[in-house]
Amino acid sequence: MKRFLLLIIAVFIVSCSKEQTTDKIFKYNESQGIENLDPVMCSNYPSGWPLQQMMEGLLEYTQDMSLRASLASSHKISEDGLIYTFTIRKNVFFHDNACFPGGKGRELKASDFKYCFERLCDPRTKTRGAWLFRDKVKGALEYINSIKENYNNVNEITGIQVPNDTTLEITLNKPFAPFLSILTMAYAFVYPKEAVEHYKDNFGYNPVGTGPFQFVKWEVDRELEMVKNPNYWSLNKAGKPLVYLDGIKVNFIKSSETAFLDFQQGKFDYYDPSPEVLSQITDETGKLKPEYDFDLVKQPWLNTVYLGVQLDKNVPGGKNNPLTDNKKLRQAINYAVDREKIINYVLKFRGTPGVNGPIPPGMPGYNKDLKGYSYDVTKAKQLLTEAGYPDGKGLSLKLTVSNDDTQKLIGESVQAQLRDLGIDAQLDFMQASTLRSSQVGGEIAFWRGNWGADYFDPENFMALFYSKNHTPMGPNYTHYTNAKADSLYELAMKLTDFPARVKLYNEMEQIVLEDSPLIILYYNQIVYLKNKKVSNMYIDGLNTMILKRARMGME
């Protein structure tokens, strides 16, 4: 700690060292690293942020979270809610890239979306997003199973058709109210077939899209560079692209202390502060101290942080896992965690205790009256005994967390609380990108995870508990299975009446809480530091960084 304070003081003493640059390059640090930039594998924020700058989909959210047209200039829905027809915007071109003849990007066509959506559903791509279309779009399940079972007798998803170059038709099996919303996700971004065929297995390290910024280079764990797309389709009155930054650079410094010092010296324009940094720069009310010359931004984030348990004995994380078949033990852990202490002393009031269901505050469908788990040592000890581990005797657990500073602190806090009950709790630190891959593969028994909304509908959270969404084909990382929960989820998907759907989701939440596949820790909050010279950049409630209209300086 003393070293950390000395480093901060040094920044003020050597203020002349602060970088003075006139470039319009937005720079930020990604301490967790980036695993891959192939949209079919984009299941996390570190990958999603760069993809958001380089690629686009049919629709997008505005800053006030309204849906608007993007690469689809318009759309219509049939009266029965089954057929969605999109008109693809003309004069949109893919980035210039070596995958095209002469390196010149070609014009976007409706068939590009069909290609990308079918690739999203192809198990051979290691897709994590097939669940978007699998049970919703006509013919998607047959297409997936044909490849998965090596039948290879289905050549296309019949519910995705392209009558001409500017028309895309998607037919659903049954009405699904949030369908337009899921099309805003990175999974549904469009890219050219030529790039996939040119780069093959390295496409995820050479992304090509239509977005306001285009890929330049990526030195893994060192630097990712993007530059302004000179051919961007959205133009101002003068006919020039509506992009004001010259580029974006991402660095991968793992030390939060070092990244903060670099931010203060002007090397970064955005910084995600650790709890330790927050405690240094804010007063007792949580406000930024006057001696700091940058912006502190706090806003809601639709994100639930939890400890996950692998419940499937058929994957590595479920074998020899004492939590897998022992519901009372999972409930005991739920009561053993002091969420208030984590919020107050570890996170420095960055979030709210996770004492309700998986659906977080701010998301339509959140139920503050839904009773989850709160700190109760008596109940925890009673359940430990009933689970076969009186006073924690004979119980050894290994909790896997990322090596990010904040996650280490959370892990250490949970470890101490479990040890107070006599549980032999060990910590395993893992690089964040490796941890994400291991979750998808079912390789971890007990881990710290989180789920942030991809779109503004509670279905997005309840999809984590649908048995057909077991990873890698969906977001059910715990491989939770409950027939009653499945029936409620499937019934809710058929309804268009929102209050009726919410009632079913809340009932499903109660079942999930009883089964305890997760220990919900807290509901997150977005807190970040920003260079005052940056304007018109924002991070929305889905924790998506938007830079297409961002400006630097006084321009």
Side-chain angles (χ1 to χ4, degrees):
M1 176 63 75
K2 289 182 179 179
R3 178 177 176 274
F4 177 67
L5 292 175
L6 288 172
L7 284 170
I8 293 179
I9 292 170
V11 175
F12 292 107
I13 295 175
V14 194
S15 58
C16 60
S17 66
K18 186 170 183 178
E19 287 192 0
Q20 302 293 329
T21 60
T22 57
D23 63 21
K24 298 177 184 177
I25 306 295
F26 183 90
K27 299 174 284 291
Y28 73 92
N29 185 61
E30 181 48 74
S31 63
Q32 298 185 51
I34 293 175
E35 179 187 6
N36 196 288
L37 290 173
D38 185 337
V40 304
M41 297 181 68
C42 184
S43 59
N44 53 73
Y45 301 112
S47 297
W49 281 16
L51 280 176
Q52 187 72 37
Q53 320 312 325
M54 294 184 283
M55 295 188 184
E56 299 168 302
L58 293 165
L59 303 161
E60 65 182 9
Y61 281 113
T62 63
Q63 189 167 359
D64 64 3
M65 292 296 98
S66 300
L67 276 174
R68 71 178 174 194
S70 182
L71 296 182
S73 58
S74 64
H75 70 271
K76 61 182 180 180
I77 307 171
S78 62
E79 290 186 7
D80 60 7
L82 295 178
I83 302 175
Y84 289 70
T85 304
F86 299 90
T87 300
I88 305 304
R89 196 180 296 276
K90 296 180 179 180
N91 296 316
V92 175
F93 290 83
F94 286 113
H95 301 150
D96 291 346
N97 190 273
C99 69
F100 297 113
K104 185 69 175 176
R106 66 163 172 81
E107 188 170 5
L108 172 71
K109 298 179 181 180
S111 57
D112 292 310
F113 282 99
K114 179 175 173 65
Y115 168 76
C116 293
F117 292 170
E118 289 179 343
R119 185 171 177 270
L120 179 67
C121 294
D122 187 339
R124 294 170 297 192
T125 67
K126 300 180 181 179
T127 177
R128 298 173 185 173
W131 59 278
L132 259 70
F133 294 154
R134 184 193 57 221
D135 299 311
K136 305 174 184 72
V137 176
K138 182 180 178 181
L141 181 60
E142 292 80 2
Y143 180 79
I144 293 169
N145 287 340
S146 171
I147 298 171
K148 189 176 182 181
E149 302 300 330
N150 291 317
Y151 298 145
N152 297 315
N153 58 350
V154 178
N155 297 321
E156 66 168 342
I157 297 177
T158 56
I160 303 177
Q161 293 298 319
V162 181
N164 54 58
D165 286 347
T166 58
T167 305
L168 176 72
E169 289 183 355
I170 302 178
T171 302
L172 306 187
N173 292 314
K174 51 185 176 290
F176 179 66
F179 187 67
L180 289 177
S181 295
I182 69 174
L183 295 177
T184 64
M185 295 176 63
Y187 286 134
F189 284 170
V190 71
Y191 44 87
K193 181 179 181 180
E194 292 94 327
V196 177
E197 293 180 341
H198 180 80
Y199 293 108
K200 298 181 174 58
D201 291 342
N202 287 319
F203 169 63
Y205 300 92
N206 295 274
V208 181
T210 63
F213 299 93
Q214 63 188 57
F215 176 81
V216 176
K217 66 176 182 179
W218 179 13
E219 298 176 48
V220 176
D221 292 333
R222 291 191 61 188
E223 183 178 81
L224 169 65
E225 184 177 346
M226 294 164 269
V227 69
K228 175 180 178 179
N229 176 10
N231 303 312
Y232 190 52
W233 58 268
S234 183
L235 309 175
N236 60 19
K237 292 181 179 179
K240 294 185 177 181
L242 275 171
V243 186
Y244 303 103
L245 296 176
D246 291 331
I248 303 168
K249 285 186 179 180
V250 186
N251 287 102
F252 303 98
I253 298 171
K254 292 181 172 56
S255 167
S256 183
E257 293 179 11
T258 303
F260 178 57
L261 290 172
D262 284 347
F263 170 76
Q264 289 223 101
Q265 292 173 324
K267 295 178 182 178
F268 296 129
D269 300 297
Y270 164 96
Y271 171 70
D272 179 9
S274 67
E276 192 173 40
V277 168
L278 269 181
S279 68
Q280 297 300 318
I281 66 175
T282 56
D283 58 26
E284 63 277 2
T285 68
K287 293 183 179 179
L288 186 68
K289 292 178 181 178
E291 60 263 33
Y292 292 99
D293 188 29
F294 46 74
D295 293 327
L296 170 63
V297 182
K298 295 184 178 181
Q299 63 187 64
W301 181 8
L302 302 176
N303 182 284
T304 299
V305 180
Y306 60 83
L307 305 180
V309 177
Q310 181 52 251
L311 303 178
D312 188 348
K313 288 184 174 181
N314 296 314
V315 298
K319 295 176 181 177
N320 303 314
N321 182 353
L323 293 164
T324 296
D325 278 339
N326 200 328
K327 181 168 73 173
K328 288 188 176 182
L329 179 55
R330 299 194 299 270
Q331 292 174 337
I333 303 299
N334 252 310
Y335 282 118
V337 176
D338 189 342
R339 296 158 176 81
E340 293 277 356
K341 182 179 287 187
I342 292 174
I343 291 292
N344 296 344
Y345 297 104
V346 177
L347 297 173
K348 307 299 180 183
F349 306 99
R350 181 177 179 166
T352 56
V355 296
N356 304 113
I359 299 173
M363 171 62 77
Y366 166 70
N367 185 353
K368 63 180 178 59
D369 297 321
L370 191 66
K371 188 176 180 180
Y373 294 89
S374 298
Y375 184 55
D376 191 323
V377 174
T378 302
K379 285 186 177 180
K381 288 183 175 180
Q382 177 187 337
L383 284 163
L384 268 179
T385 299
E386 294 176 8
Y389 299 98
D391 296 321
K393 293 179 181 178
L395 177 60
S396 180
L397 298 175
K398 183 172 71 172
L399 174 63
T400 304
V401 299
S402 79
N403 53 12
D404 169 82
D405 290 350
T406 301
Q407 308 319 319
K408 284 182 179 179
L409 291 172
I410 292 172
E412 289 166 357
S413 181
V414 171
Q415 179 188 42
Q417 293 171 22
L418 294 182
R419 284 181 172 176
D420 286 344
L421 289 177
I423 298 172
D424 176 24
Q426 304 296 325
L427 292 180
D428 182 24
F429 298 111
M430 187 178 290
Q431 187 172 339
S433 57
T434 304
L435 176 57
R436 288 189 291 269
S437 297
S438 298
Q439 286 179 53
V440 172
E443 299 168 21
I444 309 176
F446 187 36
W447 70 93
R448 181 271 179 199
N450 70 288
W451 184 261
D454 296 302
Y455 48 90
F456 284 88
D457 193 282
E459 182 275 336
N460 191 201
F461 281 86
M462 301 320 295
L464 272 68
F465 310 103
Y466 184 45
S467 67
K468 293 183 180 180
N469 282 342
H470 287 184
T471 56
M473 298 304 291
N476 187 340
Y477 295 99
T478 65
H479 288 203
Y480 174 71
T481 301
N482 182 293
K484 177 61 175 176
D486 281 352
S487 66
L488 290 169
Y489 179 82
E490 289 171 355
L491 178 57
M493 287 177 66
K494 297 175 183 178
L495 302 179
T496 54
D497 181 71
F498 187 72
R501 286 200 297 126
V502 166
K503 185 177 180 180
L504 294 175
Y505 290 140
N506 290 160
E507 187 178 345
M508 184 179 173
E509 281 187 287
Q510 194 66 70
I511 294 172
V512 170
L513 286 169
E514 170 69 19
D515 287 342
S516 292
L518 307 177
I519 290 86
I520 299 173
L521 294 180
Y522 61 95
Y523 306 116
N524 222 332
Q525 185 181 44
I526 295 173
V527 178
Y528 63 92
L529 310 181
K530 181 179 72 67
N531 181 344
K532 284 187 174 181
K533 293 181 179 181
V534 177
S535 61
N536 292 352
M537 70 79 66
Y538 65 92
I539 297 177
D540 63 23
L542 304 178
N543 194 34
T544 302
M545 180 185 280
I546 307 297
L547 293 171
K548 66 165 63 177
R549 301 288 184 267
R551 296 173 181 260
M552 300 284 286
M554 302 299 293
E555 60 173 329

